[in-house]
Amino acid sequence: MNETATAEAVPMYLTAKQLAKRWHMTLNALYTARSKADREFPPGFRRGRGLLFPLDGVLAHEAKKQMADRSFNPALDASNAPVERKAA
């Protein structure tokens, strides 16, 4: 019975409204960002009139974006680069 309770507690899909709330953006901004061909966006699909995003895809997209952000990935920060000393 614990498996059923756990499966219900964690949604497998996020609605567009839930994703917009998660990313602190308006629903219209989410639809606009998704419609732009040059931007990467997690995979989603239409279910009736609604739009659903698989949670695994959203988490993978967030992890990829964090690794590209130097505030999350110290290897990308130029201030952490080794200092090259000139020979005298």
Side-chain angles (χ1 to χ4, degrees):
M1 193 169 242
N2 287 341
E3 291 176 353
T4 306
T6 305
E8 291 175 7
V10 179
M12 293 179 60
Y13 298 97
L14 295 176
T15 64
K17 188 174 183 179
Q18 291 170 330
L19 185 59
K21 185 176 180 181
R22 179 183 179 101
W23 288 353
H24 306 286
M25 61 190 327
T26 65
L27 190 56
N28 193 34
L30 181 88
Y31 285 126
T32 302
R34 184 175 183 267
S35 69
K36 293 189 182 286
D38 60 336
R39 292 189 63 180
E40 293 182 26
F41 215 74
F45 61 93
R46 289 236 175 244
R47 178 76 175 205
R49 290 181 56 188
L51 187 61
L52 295 176
F53 296 92
L55 184 59
D56 293 339
V58 171
L59 295 175
H61 177 76
E62 290 174 347
K64 182 179 176 183
K65 289 296 182 183
Q66 281 184 346
M67 289 308 294
D69 186 359
R70 64 179 184 196
S71 64
F72 288 99
N73 188 356
L76 297 177
D77 193 358
S79 64
N80 292 333
V83 177
E84 295 181 17
R85 305 260 184 223
K86 292 185 178 181

